[in-house]
């Protein structure tokens, strides 16, 4: 029978093998509020995240800094996949006269078709049951080896009812054909779209100095990505339902022609018997009509409709059951990467060719956890345990390096450059086994070296900063590649209240920009900062927020 949730479930779908890289973009409230800048403008305990050399660029009166906790989250739906799915389930479908959504309309049609074809109910006998009942009627036609209890009226009534059911089936499939075409067109258009997000928690203790600065930092970041993929096989299946049922309705109507001929022959036999003037011809006509009807019934009970190598509708010749293929091959895959780092940052200001340049290093231990989970449409609800069972753990050593230089009459200008993850790493993950195909999806996740440069201008009450990725960075899994250019500003009122704003543009994607805003409150060395970012054209495309607590002495 037709699954009631076939369409609704098929919207929760699919992934393919990818090579991917985890972008290490810090999520801190100050930097996020300034558009994601920080390579030349981060302060004190923020330095390990952006540029370790900045620890030696602090003011002389800065002695000690702590940041904990530092929390942030970003979510991105660049292709508006969530909104598209929401439209399918809520927006009025033009093909519906009642104002229901295309999903509700599809489910309504399939429910009615299921009633007509298989399940019956509400005073309706299914086609499947009617055909089974005909076996008894034909076997008891006079002279056909039964108890001769079947009358011409019985055959005529049964034929009319079955023909009406076949006609009703055809009428419903006309609506189904147009609805599934519209629906699968929408699903195919959405196929390949993705959603992704980042979660971060950090903490750091820093002792700034021009001669020798040090910091210890702990950070944890989780990157997840997913996209839906509507398979060609499922497209064929859904669009083939209407064609298969039309073919079956035609075959059923051919069968009713044979049963009608049998009813007519039986009526002639009953008439001649009433007049006591029957000849062998009348009985032979009944026998021939019964044989023809049985032959048509056998053909109907062996009915099979196949398209592109897939059997969509078939009948069981033994039980008479009608079977509709409802096994969908589309699936959903969740790819996630968790990176935990413990780093020791060291920096010092050196004099090179008469210029003072700060250089910093952050050797760090990394713990990487990967998750690669695949679920088909026919699987049960996704559970956290199912995902965590695909966990794979890796440990490694890596290093960040940065440099910074101040210039101008009062060193108000500052430039910086940083290389994150000097030792490139690649990890291959394996998914759970696909419950439909039995296949395992392998995904490569790489931590590649990433380069970023920045410049800033500072006064006692303001900071303006600009950062840019010096190369394009690969995505975690299915989202767009990134090469960010960011600009941000901070206005500091009486060293107490900070207002921040910024803008970040993805140079690799024309429609992936965010605007940001942030606020800070500093009282007796305690700092509370919050920030939010969003795509200026549409909030759903990308949004995020960050919060942190710090102490500067």
């Amino acid at each position: 029978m037709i699954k009631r949730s076939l369409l609704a479930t098929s919207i929760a779908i699919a992934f393919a093998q990818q090579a991917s890289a985890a972008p290490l973009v810090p999520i801190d409230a100050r930097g996020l509020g300034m558009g994601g800048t920080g390579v030349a403008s981060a302060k004190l305990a923020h330095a390990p995240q952006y540029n370790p050399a900045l620890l030696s660029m602090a003011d002389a009166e800065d002695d000690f800094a702590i940041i904990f906790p530092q929390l942030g989250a970003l979510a991105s739906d660049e292709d508006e996949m969530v909104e598209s799915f929401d439209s399918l389930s809520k927006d009025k479908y033009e093909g519906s006269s009642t104002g229901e959504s295309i999903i509700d309309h599809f489910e309504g049609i399939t429910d009615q078709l299921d009633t007509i074809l298989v399940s019956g109910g509400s005073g309706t006998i299914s086609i499947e049951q009617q055909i089974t009942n005909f076996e008894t009627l034909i076997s008891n036609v006079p002279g056909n080896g039964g108890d001769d209890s079947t009358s011409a009226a019985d055959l005529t009534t049964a034929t009319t009812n079955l023909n009406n059911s076949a006609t009703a089936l055809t009428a419903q499939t006309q609506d189904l054909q147009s609805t599934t075409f519209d629906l699968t067109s929408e699903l195919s258009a959405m196929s390949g779209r993705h959603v992704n997000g980042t979660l971060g928690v950090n903490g750091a203790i820093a002792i700034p100095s021009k001669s020798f600065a040090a910091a210890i930092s702990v950070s944890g970041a989780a990157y997840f990505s997913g996209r839906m993929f509507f398979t060609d096989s499922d497209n064929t299946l859904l669009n083939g339902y209407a064609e298969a049922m039309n073919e079956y309705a035609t075959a059923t109507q051919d069968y009713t022609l044979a049963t009608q001929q049998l009813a007519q022959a039986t009526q002639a036999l009953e008439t001649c018997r009433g007049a006591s003037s029957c000849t062998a011809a009348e009985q032979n006509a009944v026998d021939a009509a019964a044989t023809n009807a049985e032959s048509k019934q056998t053909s109907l009970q062996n009915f099979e409709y196949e398209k592109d190598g897939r059997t969509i509708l078939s009948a069981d010749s033994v039980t008479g059951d009608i079977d509709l293929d409802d096994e969908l091959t589309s699936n959903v895959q969740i790819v996630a990467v968790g990176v935990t780092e413990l780093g020791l940052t060291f920096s010092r200001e050196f004099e090179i060719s008469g210029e003072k340049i700060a250089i910093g290093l952050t050797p760090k231990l990394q713990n990487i956890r990967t998750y690669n989970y695949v679920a088909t449409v026919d699987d049960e609800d996704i559970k956290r345990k199912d995902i965590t069972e695909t966990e794979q753990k890796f440990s490694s050593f890596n290093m960040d390096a940065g440099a910074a230089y101040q210039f101008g009459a009062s060193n108000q200008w500052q430039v910086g450059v940083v290389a994150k993850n000097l030792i490139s790493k690649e990890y291959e993950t394996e998914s759970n086994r696909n419950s439909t195909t039995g296949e395992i999806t392998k995904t490569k996740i790489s931590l590649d070296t990433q380069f970023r440069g920045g410049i800033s201008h500072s006064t006692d009450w303001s900071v303006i900063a600009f950062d840019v990725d010096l190369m394009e960075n690969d995505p975690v899994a299915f989202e767009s590649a990134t090469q960010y250019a960011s600009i941000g500003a901070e206005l500091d009122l009486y060293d107490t209240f900070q207002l921040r704003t910024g803008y970040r543009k993805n140079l690799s994607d024309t429609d992936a920009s965010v605007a940001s805003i942030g606020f800070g409150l500093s009282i007796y060395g305690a700092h509370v900062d919050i920030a939010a970012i969003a795509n200026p054209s549409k909030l759903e495309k990308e949004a995020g927020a960050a919060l942190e607590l710090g102490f500067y002495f």
Side-chain angles (χ1 to χ4, degrees):
M1 62 181 292
I2 304 170
K3 286 186 177 178
R4 175 177 177 79
S5 60
L6 180 65
L7 191 277
T9 313
S10 71
I11 288 177
I13 34 196
F15 286 96
Q17 179 173 326
Q18 294 281 329
S20 51
L24 300 179
V25 178
I27 303 179
D28 71 293
R30 183 174 184 267
L32 196 70
M34 297 173 64
T37 57
V39 174
S41 58
K43 294 183 177 180
L44 303 176
H46 293 92
Q49 296 181 64
Y50 286 96
N51 184 350
L54 297 181
L55 272 180
S56 293
M57 290 293 169
D59 295 333
E61 63 269 19
D62 293 326
D63 296 323
F64 186 71
I66 300 175
I67 293 178
F68 187 82
Q70 189 179 75
L71 307 171
L74 298 173
S76 175
D77 185 8
E78 299 169 6
D79 297 324
E80 301 178 53
M81 184 177 74
V82 174
E83 181 179 346
S84 297
F85 284 155
D86 194 53
S87 296
L88 288 180
S89 62
K90 294 181 179 180
D91 290 358
K92 179 180 178 180
Y93 174 51
E94 293 181 355
S96 170
S97 59
T98 61
E100 59 191 350
S101 70
I102 190 171
I103 292 177
D104 291 339
H105 190 63
F106 177 87
E107 289 191 343
I109 297 170
T110 55
D111 281 347
Q112 293 180 51
L113 287 168
D114 187 68
T115 299
I116 296 169
L117 195 61
V118 178
S119 63
S122 301
T124 301
I125 301 176
S126 69
I127 290 178
E128 181 181 276
Q129 184 60 52
Q130 290 181 66
I131 292 172
T132 299
N133 293 343
F134 254 115
E135 289 186 45
T136 302
L137 288 174
I138 294 173
S139 65
N140 291 322
V141 165
N144 202 34
D147 59 12
D148 294 353
S149 60
T150 300
S151 67
D154 293 335
L155 290 169
T156 299
T157 300
T159 298
T160 300
N161 290 338
L162 183 56
N163 190 65
N164 289 341
S165 294
T167 301
L169 183 66
T170 301
Q172 287 294 327
T173 56
Q174 291 173 355
D175 192 3
L176 178 64
Q177 188 168 30
S178 59
T179 302
T180 52
F181 177 80
D182 292 340
L183 181 60
T184 54
S185 294
E186 290 290 338
L187 291 174
S188 296
M190 285 185 269
S191 185
R193 296 183 184 181
H194 62 269
V195 292
N196 55 277
T198 304
L199 300 174
V201 56
N202 306 290
I205 300 173
I207 303 174
S209 171
K210 293 187 179 298
S211 57
F212 182 79
I216 182 170
S217 60
V218 178
S219 65
Y223 311 92
F224 65 88
S225 186
R227 71 174 179 179
M228 89 87 172
F229 178 68
F230 185 57
T231 64
D232 291 340
S233 178
D234 287 348
N235 194 340
T236 297
L237 177 66
L238 292 175
N239 279 301
Y241 278 154
E243 299 171 12
M245 292 183 195
N246 270 330
E247 290 289 331
Y248 188 79
T250 299
T252 301
Q253 288 170 331
D254 287 344
Y255 174 57
T256 62
L257 292 176
T259 59
Q260 184 60 40
Q261 290 172 357
L262 177 58
Q264 292 169 353
T266 303
Q267 180 64 59
L269 182 62
E270 291 174 356
T271 300
C272 75
R273 282 182 174 179
S276 301
S277 58
C278 288
T279 64
E282 284 81 2
Q283 184 61 58
N284 290 340
V286 170
D287 293 344
T291 300
N292 183 49
E294 288 171 342
S295 175
K296 292 290 186 181
Q297 187 175 56
T298 299
S299 297
L300 195 58
Q301 289 175 332
N302 286 282
F303 179 88
E304 185 174 277
Y305 180 83
E306 184 179 289
K307 185 174 182 180
D308 295 342
R310 188 166 186 175
T311 301
I312 296 175
L313 188 152
S314 61
D316 190 310
S317 59
V318 177
T319 64
D321 292 344
I322 299 171
D323 181 52
L324 275 169
D325 183 1
D326 55 9
E327 295 296 324
L328 298 173
T329 59
S330 298
N331 55 80
V332 62
Q333 182 185 27
I334 297 171
V335 175
V337 184
V339 181
T340 303
E341 296 183 343
L342 173 62
L344 291 174
T345 298
F346 306 98
S347 72
R348 174 183 170 84
E349 192 174 71
F350 296 90
E351 187 170 326
I352 302 175
S353 299
E355 301 290 342
K356 293 182 177 180
I357 298 175
I359 296 176
L361 295 174
T362 301
K364 56 189 181 181
L365 297 176
Q366 293 179 320
N367 181 274
I368 294 97
R369 298 188 181 199
T370 65
Y371 305 87
N372 191 351
Y373 178 73
V374 176
T376 65
V377 171
D378 289 324
D379 288 342
E380 299 294 330
D381 292 338
I382 298 174
K383 298 177 181 178
R384 180 178 177 182
K385 179 183 177 182
D386 297 330
I387 299 174
T388 56
E389 285 179 348
T390 68
E391 179 184 78
Q392 291 181 266
K393 298 180 181 179
F394 308 92
S395 297
S396 64
F397 170 82
N398 220 312
M399 183 178 294
D400 301 336
Y405 171 66
Q406 291 179 331
F407 62 98
S410 56
N411 286 334
Q412 70 272 30
W413 289 95
Q414 187 164 276
V415 294
V417 63
V418 65
K420 305 283 286 186
N421 292 320
L422 287 173
I423 306 171
S424 294
K425 304 279 187 177
E426 186 174 81
Y427 309 94
E428 184 173 80
T429 70
E430 290 187 355
S431 72
N432 57 307
R433 194 173 295 279
N434 187 304
S435 62
T436 299
T437 65
E439 295 178 351
I440 292 176
T441 301
K442 294 184 179 181
T443 302
K444 291 182 180 179
I445 303 216
S446 56
L447 297 180
D448 294 329
T449 304
Q450 299 174 340
F451 299 93
R452 178 176 288 191
I455 185 170
S456 68
H457 180 275
S458 303
T459 69
D460 291 338
W461 53 273
S462 68
V463 177
I464 298 175
F466 175 77
D467 282 10
V468 63
D469 287 335
L470 303 180
M471 59 184 292
E472 185 176 80
N473 300 310
D474 293 330
V476 173
F478 312 111
E479 65 276 14
S480 303
T482 61
Q483 186 173 12
Y484 292 134
S486 305
I487 188 169
E490 177 185 69
L491 178 63
D492 190 349
L493 303 176
Y494 306 106
D495 292 328
T496 301
F497 188 63
Q498 294 83 38
L499 298 174
R500 305 181 182 106
T501 188
Y503 187 83
R504 189 194 72 198
K505 171 69 177 176
N506 184 1
L507 302 178
S508 298
D509 191 330
T510 57
D511 192 26
S513 301
V514 294
S516 65
I517 189 171
F519 303 94
L521 180 64
S522 305
I523 302 177
Y524 299 112
H527 294 254
V528 177
D529 298 286
I530 60 174
I533 67 167
N535 185 290
S537 63
K538 206 160 194 178
L539 177 65
E540 292 82 357
K541 288 194 171 185
E542 186 171 0
L547 170 69
E548 67 181 59
L549 176 65
F551 301 90
Y552 299 169
F553 304 100

